[in-house]
Amino acid sequence: MKQNDNSPVRFWSLLWGLGLAGQLCWHVENQWFNTFVYAKIAKDSNIVTAMIIASALVTTFSTFFFGTLSDRMGTRRKFISFGYIGWGLFTIVFGFTEFINSGTVGGNASLIMLAAFLVVLTDCVMSFFGSIGNDAGYNTWTNDMTTDRNRGQIGAALATQPVIGTILGTVLGGLLIGSDDNYQRLFWAMGLFVILMGFVSLLFLRDAPGLTGRREGSFWEQFAAVFNFKQLFKQRELVWSCLIGITYFISFNVFFVHMGNWLIYRMGFTPDLMGLIQGLGLLAAMLLAIPGAGLINRKQTPLVATAGVIITAAGLITVSLFIRPGVGDSSVIFAVGNLPLLLAVFLIGAGYILIMQSVTMWVKQLFPESNRGQFEGVRILSFVLLPMLIGTIIGNIIVRRGAGSIINEFGFVENIPTESMFLWATVLLIPVLLPLIKGSKFYYKRVRGQNR
């Protein structure tokens, strides 16, 4: 079997298999870890916020470090395999933290503190391996394999994978957890699947033809080179496109972090019905990825991004104005009162798909060929770390000061998210217009130069 044997069937099978495994696992972390904390540890948004911020910091460092290492070694395959196996293993380990606080959820301060510490720690270790396998490894590999002919198709795949991961992860996650809140079934199923894909990549994945190691001084000199912001800021289109990601995902993280707990503890849906609500809306939203891919291939990426922002804003406004507890029916999904909620989920999902599809490929095509692995860290910095730091802190303040904060039977404050977070997310979405306008000018200038 030749090292450079990258047949279309093998390539697309691995791209989708590894991509979906990664997105399922990220979704479990981004949504079900948060509801797990509320169900098994305490309804305290501070724990969720600490977990998200700590894991984002670890993810960013790990991506920069191992992205640099993969550039120097000239391979992505080893990082994908090693990362996915460790990722799946610590997804299972994370679930064991529920036994620390078993039987006293929300009532024992010492056990809550210990469980919260271990929740944050194990999530960080899981994210460490996840970023090795998915960010530094898989995402860089897909960038290595991207050409002008398949850019739109790969962009569509990478944009729809998070949505498919959200649909499957939410629906199947809710069914696995069930009415008895059995999170162990979910974490074991997800962990074993990711471990399996790690071994599959070890056996069948091949690096891009012509990929060679690139050493630019010592490891730490090469690692630090990407932080030469003077040189980075000279790439003005890259900077503006990254700012689109930063501003959009700040708004997104204000509400998305708490959306699962909002649907369960504020709106009254069970985990399985919550999964169906999100799944149906996002399934319909996926259809927009098809025209989006066509526009990207016709070099209209900024137009797709602009549509994503407008549609997201429409969804957030719908939630803010028309959705309240008691308006719909938490026991029947297709009740008339639930239609605004289904519409809002569709619009938010559609906007998210278009942003991921367009801005991800916009940023990736501007990475220097010799430092793609390392520059994947720039994308993580823009799409993950800064938005999670800023957006999650803002969201936590909104939730803790909202009308949903109550005192439970043990005398501890419980933080239940309310609709106000969607209104604030709408306000915080407005600043994305500036980098969109500026970035579009540089984009079309570059495209016109390529067409001459």
Side-chain angles (χ1 to χ4, degrees), residues 132-209:
I132 294 173
N134 193 250
D135 296 320
Y138 170 80
N139 281 323
T140 308
W141 174 72
T142 61
N143 203 14
D144 293 337
M145 301 295 291
T146 299
T147 66
D148 288 337
R149 292 184 178 181
N150 64 17
R151 191 177 307 280
Q153 289 78 9
I154 291 179
L158 295 179
T160 55
Q161 283 172 6
V163 181
I164 296 173
T166 299
I167 295 169
L168 292 178
T170 304
V171 174
L172 294 179
L175 293 174
L176 286 169
I177 293 168
S179 59
D180 57 343
D181 274 352
N182 191 332
Y183 281 81
Q184 292 299 314
R185 287 193 293 253
L186 172 62
F187 295 151
W188 275 91
M190 189 68 258
L192 290 174
F193 177 50
V194 174
I195 291 171
L196 173 64
M197 290 308 303
F199 282 109
V200 168
S201 68
L202 188 63
L203 294 174
F204 298 107
L205 186 137
R206 299 292 177 260
D207 285 314

Side-chain angles (χ1 to χ4, degrees), residues 247-248 250-252 254-255 309 312-317 320 394 398 419-433:
T247 49
Y248 179 87
I250 285 174
S251 169
F252 187 80
V254 166
F255 70 89
V309 172
T312 300
L316 294 174
I317 291 170
S320 303
I394 294 173
I398 293 169
E419 299 71 45
S420 60
M421 62 183 181
F422 296 100
L423 178 60
W424 282 107
T426 307
V427 174
L428 291 170
L429 191 61
I430 296 173
V432 77
L433 296 176

Side-chain angles (χ1 to χ4, degrees), residues 76-146:
R76 318 299 184 193
R77 171 175 165 268
K78 296 176 182 177
F79 294 91
I80 294 172
S81 303
F82 172 71
Y84 269 65
I85 292 170
W87 197 8
L89 176 63
F90 279 93
T91 299
I92 296 171
V93 171
F94 177 88
F96 294 157
T97 58
E98 80 167 81
F99 300 114
I100 297 169
N101 206 33
S102 180
T104 58
V105 177
N108 187 306
S110 298
L111 289 179
I112 289 174
M113 290 181 64
L114 176 60
F117 170 76
L118 291 177
V119 158
V120 174
L121 177 63
T122 52
D123 185 33
C124 285
V125 177
M126 175 196 155
S127 297
F128 174 79
F129 284 103
S131 63
I132 294 173
N134 193 250
D135 296 320
Y138 170 80
N139 281 323
T140 308
W141 174 72
T142 61
N143 203 14
D144 293 337
M145 301 295 291
T146 299

Side-chain angles (χ1 to χ4, degrees), residues 361-410:
M361 297 311 297
W362 190 349
V363 169
K364 280 177 173 286
Q365 68 181 318
L366 299 172
F367 289 171
E369 183 178 349
S370 61
N371 302 95
R372 283 174 175 165
Q374 188 177 17
F375 267 74
E376 188 64 30
V378 174
R379 188 185 68 83
I380 294 300
L381 186 71
S382 303
F383 285 38
V384 178
L385 178 60
L386 291 177
M388 281 191 170
L389 283 175
I390 301 170
T392 305
I393 289 173
I394 294 173
N396 186 41
I397 293 171
I398 293 169
V399 169
R400 293 186 69 82
R401 294 185 177 181
S405 292
I406 60 174
I407 299 176
N408 67 13
E409 66 271 26
F410 301 106

Side-chain angles (χ1 to χ4, degrees), residues 248 285 288 305 307-309 311-312 346-356:
Y248 179 87
L288 290 181
V309 172
I311 294 172
T312 300
F346 165 73
L347 292 172
I348 293 171
Y352 172 77
I353 290 172
L354 294 177
I355 287 291
M356 286 295 294

Side-chain angles (χ1 to χ4, degrees), residues 273-289:
L273 290 181
M274 180 197 76
L276 289 173
I277 289 171
Q278 290 190 334
L280 291 171
L282 291 169
L283 187 63
M286 281 180 55
L287 297 176
L288 290 181

